[in-house]
Amino acid sequence: MPDFKKILHTIYEKTKQLSDTGRVATYIPELACVPEDKFGICLLDIEKESYQIGDFDERFSVQSISKVLTLAMAMGLIGEKIWDRVDVEPSGDPFNHLSLLEQENGIPRNPLINAGAIVIADILVSELKNPKKEFLEFVHKVSGDTSISYDEKVAHSEKATGFKNYAAANLLKSYGNLKNDVIKVLDFYFYQCSLSMSCSQLCNTFYLFINRGKCLKNYDFLTVSQVKRINAIMLTCGFYDEAGEFAFEVGLPGKSGVGGGIVALLPRKFCVAVWSPGLNPKGNSTRGMAALERLTTLSDLSIF
Ligand code: DON
């Protein structure tokens, strides 16, 4: 393994000096309150050795990163039946885009765009008695950390302003691809997005995607085949209309969130989480993308 301690230090110092660090998301008002200069990185290798720098231990709103976890839970519950209701193609469009949904008769392009994640939320609402509680328990088990929680303020802030998500859910409903009540499904969706986690906690949680479906404590959560599929979806769809750029520059499966977090991973080797709230015009963390490009360049490790 490369000298990750040294590499993280170099990346952190170099990336901190970037003149353009992006803009904090404001369309969810509560996210606009986060200081723009936060920056942390954590890397966890397959031997469970971890390396950290900066604000790696501070919790932030994981937003769309949660879509990978709801997908994992839904796959565990209903398996391949998911693919009757959601496709697995990159969309080439922004995360909240709606026109493709109409053109393609209410079948979202993939489970990581908002419409797809809302269908996954609908599956969990159907399958679980108390979806918010049981999803949080799932995250606690996978991460081995019961201190992870939702951020009620962020959830309510998005509930008050998530007009495009109401539009997406209503479109899905009109095509018969939403089984439950729109408000009930979106309530769960806004809560899942409000999960508050640090870079360290994200690495601990995503360990199962580098360890063939077994979490840090070695319990089985997913099959090898399910992990392969989720990692493939992260590679092709994890960054919306910037998925090609991320594969090109970084060369790892990953997932971003508008809270400024990015998780990326190299199966059987390491997972890494970066947080810097300033976003580029495509909604991905500016410093996060730059830091991960440097990581795969300096370590000479990527899936390619
Ligand atoms: O639905 C939304 O708009 C947010 N809760 C999540 C969006 C997001 O994180 C997109 N990712 N980069």
Side-chain angles (χ1 to χ4, degrees):
M1 286 277 196
D3 185 346
F4 284 127
K5 188 171 176 213
K6 193 168 155 209
I7 292 178
L8 285 203
H9 185 80
T10 310
I11 293 170
Y12 183 79
E13 291 307 325
K14 284 253 184 281
T15 313
K16 236 184 143 81
Q17 289 161 18
L18 276 181
S19 53
D20 177 13
T21 56
R23 301 281 161 277
V24 175
T26 52
Y27 79 100
I28 301 174
E30 200 56 33
L31 295 183
C33 308
V34 180
E36 214 168 277
D37 59 342
K38 296 287 178 187
F39 184 29
I41 312 176
C42 179
L43 185 148
L44 177 66
D45 73 17
I46 191 71
E47 311 296 344
K48 303 181 184 171
E49 198 68 51
S50 75
Y51 307 84
Q52 306 93 353
I53 195 154
D55 301 311
F56 67 90
D57 223 5
E58 197 167 316
R59 297 175 193 220
F60 59 93
S61 192
V62 307
Q63 292 297 319
S64 286
I65 298 173
S66 67
K67 294 170 180 172
V68 181
L69 303 175
T70 49
L71 174 62
M73 190 178 189
M75 274 179 100
L77 289 168
I78 70 161
E80 298 293 305
K81 279 195 283 185
I82 287 182
W83 313 121
D84 297 339
R85 296 181 56 189
V86 194
D87 206 347
V88 292
E89 293 299 334
S91 69
D93 277 327
F95 59 88
N96 54 7
H97 200 78
L98 294 177
S99 65
L100 267 183
L101 189 58
E102 186 152 39
Q103 278 167 36
E104 295 175 358
N105 298 318
I107 302 292
R109 271 287 168 107
N110 64 68
L112 300 184
I113 54 168
N114 286 9
I118 291 169
V119 169
I120 302 297
D122 185 50
I123 291 171
L124 294 181
V125 168
S126 294
E127 294 294 314
L128 306 172
K129 269 207 184 87
N130 186 337
K132 284 190 228 170
K133 181 169 168 280
E134 291 172 56
F135 173 61
L136 193 58
E137 284 167 358
F138 173 79
V139 175
H140 288 168
K141 280 193 211 133
V142 174
S143 60
D145 184 340
T146 54
S147 75
I148 295 170
S149 60
Y150 299 121
D151 183 330
E152 304 264 343
K153 267 190 174 172
V154 171
H156 287 121
S157 183
E158 187 169 5
K159 201 178 279 188
T161 56
F163 307 114
K164 276 216 154 176
N165 287 324
Y166 288 101
N170 278 296
L171 258 182
L172 289 164
K173 191 84 183 165
S174 76
Y175 285 105
N177 201 8
L178 203 83
K179 309 293 175 207
N180 298 283
D181 176 62
V182 164
I183 302 293
K184 195 171 167 190
V185 176
L186 286 181
D187 178 60
F188 174 68
Y189 172 75
F190 295 140
Y191 267 83
Q192 73 164 76
C193 289
S194 83
L195 262 186
S196 185
M197 293 167 75
S198 66
C199 291
S200 305
Q201 291 172 325
L202 279 170
C203 281
N204 293 343
T205 312
F206 274 66
Y207 184 81
L208 87 162
F209 299 109
I210 65 168
N211 193 36
R212 298 158 73 88
K214 278 190 202 312
C215 74
L216 263 183
K217 291 196 170 152
N218 256 6
Y219 302 126
D220 269 314
F221 278 93
L222 295 169
T223 65
V224 171
S225 157
Q226 287 171 331
V227 168
K228 179 186 79 176
R229 296 200 193 297
I230 295 176
N231 286 346
I233 293 170
M234 278 197 264
L235 180 74
T236 52
C237 313
F239 298 84
Y240 315 109
D241 43 343
E242 211 167 28
E245 181 76 11
F246 192 82
F248 184 79
E249 295 286 345
V250 179
L252 297 174
K255 184 73 205 84
S256 61
V258 292
I262 299 182
V263 182
L265 56 97
L266 182 59
R268 308 298 294 153
K269 288 273 189 296
F270 67 82
C271 53
V272 58
V274 186
W275 173 48
S276 170
L279 309 179
N280 67 20
K282 304 238 161 139
N284 299 313
S285 169
T286 302
R287 280 201 291 213
M289 298 264 296
L292 292 172
E293 187 279 324
R294 288 191 166 113
L295 173 68
T296 50
T297 301
L298 292 178
S299 66
D300 216 356
L301 287 174
S302 85
I303 61 165
F304 304 110

